[in-house]
Amino acid sequence: MRNMRMSLAPRRAVAALAAVLLAGSVAACGNSDTGAGGGGGDDKIVLGFSQVGAESGWRTANTNSIKEAAAEAGIDLKFDDAQQKQENQIKAIRNYIQQKVDVIAFSPVVESGWDTVLKEAKDAGIPVILTDRAVDSADKSLYKTFLGSDFVKEGRLSGEWLVENSKDATGDVNIVELQGTTGSAPANDRKKGFGEAIAADPKLKVIASQSGDFTRAGGKQVMEQFLKAHPKIDVLFAHNDDMGLGALEAITAAGKVPGKDITIITIDAVKDGMQALADGKFNFIAECSPLLGPQLMDLAKKVHAGEEVPPRIETEETTFTQEQAKTALPNRKY
Ligand code: GZL
């Protein structure tokens, strides 16, 4: 038996050496396209994108915009859905660094906790673009630009509309607030902007404020609690349409008429929200455009080419009343 093993040994060594050489050559070939990072060997730009999740109509529209724009721009898009977990986004970004993609972009689910992984990307020489939401990193060199809305402005416009439309109110106006995902830039900033605006009228009082995590289910569940705890609710301010749409079910189930017994202000202006506005169930929406794909692809090409880009690019958006929603609905892209 020993001889058998011995006689086989040289052949096995040759086979093992051949396997190593073959593996080595394959690996070398796989990395040969140094120009295009972890791409499939052609000279397409490879963009690694980490998406927050699929929590709302806005997010779905944002994902569609990014995927369609990448195809249109001839960019090889690696896409990951983090299911609203920061650890999944950090894992995805580290994978993209390992794959040596050309550019990394992501919408950070929360503002804090990104410095370490962003420094890893910077040390690997991979430019990062923030899109939709921002991070609170003090070191602005960790990313090339932030493309997205001004959430404080969206909150402020919502509050200003309420101040303007509460002038005839006698006595306190009780407001409940459905906040977005805890720790996220849109939740923090929309709350800030709205609070600053309604401070203009002391009758306007936020009597309850809680996160519904930007989902319909979350909006419904928290609104049910609000309705049980507060017999007099005059206004609902929801940080996105989806939580407002979930709250509609709770309001109706409580025997109240949305848009009349309870004034409803939301943010996003996705199609279902605009329909609720046109139907008189919502009263005002501040738009937050998810159609960031084309601008993101343009920025990816620029940073890959080493071109300077502005550190902050604010998306253009507007607001809608019930009448404006009726006019705008037929042409809405999302
Ligand atoms: C805002 C975006 C928010 C939307 C929500 O830019 O991050 O996340 O307002 C979405 O609908 O879930």
Side-chain angles (χ1 to χ4, degrees), residues 55-56 58-59 132-133 151 186 190 214 239-240 268 288:
E55 73 282 1
S56 63
W58 189 98
R59 189 63 56 198
D132 169 27
R133 299 182 184 178
F151 303 130
R190 287 168 182 171
F214 280 132
H239 288 185
N240 80 332
D268 275 352
C288 176

Side-chain angles (χ1 to χ4, degrees), residues 111-121 135-139 142:
E111 284 191 290
S112 307
W114 301 100
D115 288 20
T116 302
V117 74
L118 289 178
K119 186 140 182 1
E120 291 167 18
V135 299
D136 62 7
S137 304
D139 181 356
L142 292 175

Side-chain angles (χ1 to χ4, degrees), residues 51-60 62 84 107-109 131-134 146-151 154 180-181 184-187 190 213-215 239-243 267-270 286 288-290 292 315 317:
Q51 180 60 293
V52 165
E55 73 282 1
S56 63
W58 189 98
R59 189 63 56 198
T60 303
N62 180 246
Q84 287 192 284
S107 170
V109 60
T131 163
D132 169 27
R133 299 182 184 178
F146 165 42
L147 162 65
S149 304
D150 177 346
F151 303 130
E154 293 166 349
T181 302
S184 69
R190 287 168 182 171
D213 208 20
F214 280 132
T215 66
H239 288 185
N240 80 332
D241 292 346
D242 283 66
M243 292 190 292
I267 297 176
D268 275 352
V270 295
C288 176
S289 175
L292 304 176
T315 37
E317 44 211 31

Side-chain angles (χ1 to χ4, degrees), residues 45-321:
I45 294 174
V46 181
L47 169 64
F49 187 86
S50 167
Q51 180 60 293
V52 165
E55 73 282 1
S56 63
W58 189 98
R59 189 63 56 198
T60 303
N62 180 246
T63 291
N64 292 342
S65 174
I66 288 163
K67 288 182 174 176
E68 286 162 15
E72 182 69 26
I75 284 179
D76 180 357
L77 177 71
K78 312 278 183 197
F79 184 90
D80 177 83
D81 172 336
Q83 293 163 354
Q84 287 192 284
K85 291 183 174 58
Q86 180 174 31
E87 63 267 22
N88 290 346
Q89 289 199 288
I90 291 173
K91 204 180 299 173
I93 292 169
R94 286 191 167 128
N95 284 340
Y96 294 145
I97 295 170
Q98 283 300 318
Q99 294 168 35
K100 295 185 174 54
V101 300
D102 297 304
V103 182
I104 291 171
F106 74 117
S107 170
V109 60
V110 292
E111 284 191 290
S112 307
W114 301 100
D115 288 20
T116 302
V117 74
L118 289 178
K119 186 140 182 1
E120 291 167 18
K122 184 179 177 185
D123 293 346
I126 301 175
V128 174
I129 297 171
L130 297 184
T131 163
D132 169 27
R133 299 182 184 178
V135 299
D136 62 7
S137 304
D139 181 356
K140 303 300 179 200
S141 75
L142 292 175
Y143 54 89
K144 292 295 182 187
T145 183
F146 165 42
L147 162 65
S149 304
D150 177 346
F151 303 130
V152 175
K153 185 171 149 188
E154 293 166 349
R156 190 178 65 247
L157 289 170
S158 302
E160 287 170 354
W161 181 88
L162 184 58
V163 169
E164 187 56 34
N165 288 272
S166 302
K167 287 192 174 356
D168 304 338
T170 54
D172 286 350
V173 176
N174 289 346
I175 304 163
V176 293
E177 182 180 26
L178 286 169
Q179 292 185 41
T181 302
T182 303
S184 69
N188 293 337
D189 291 354
R190 287 168 182 171
K191 179 173 180 52
K192 179 174 186 288
F194 183 78
E196 287 168 353
I198 65 168
D201 182 345
K203 292 195 311 299
L204 301 177
K205 296 186 186 311
V206 177
I207 59 171
S209 181
Q210 192 179 324
S211 175
D213 208 20
F214 280 132
T215 66
R216 293 194 187 202
K220 180 181 178 186
Q221 187 184 5
V222 175
M223 192 67 200
E224 284 167 349
Q225 294 165 19
F226 286 162
L227 287 159
K228 285 196 184 87
H230 302 282
K232 182 182 179 288
I233 296 174
D234 302 302
V235 178
L236 163 63
F237 170 48
H239 288 185
N240 80 332
D241 292 346
D242 283 66
M243 292 190 292
L245 292 164
L248 284 185
E249 293 179 47
I251 292 167
T252 308
K256 294 178 186 286
V257 180
K260 292 191 173 20
D261 297 336
I262 297 179
T263 297
I264 300 180
I265 301 164
T266 68
I267 297 176
D268 275 352
V270 295
K271 197 160 281 183
D272 289 349
M274 291 288 274
Q275 190 61 61
L277 183 60
D279 295 345
K281 293 173 185 165
F282 285 177
N283 299 84
F284 182 80
I285 301 183
E287 184 183 40
C288 176
S289 175
L291 304 180
L292 304 176
Q295 285 176 287
L296 174 58
M297 298 311 146
D298 182 50
L299 286 165
K301 287 180 177 174
K302 286 193 165 88
V303 299
H304 177 58
E307 291 177 32
E308 280 302 304
V309 293
R312 175 76 173 94
I313 299 156
E314 186 180 326
T315 37
E316 291 178 20
E317 44 211 31
T318 183
T319 58
F320 295 97
T321 61

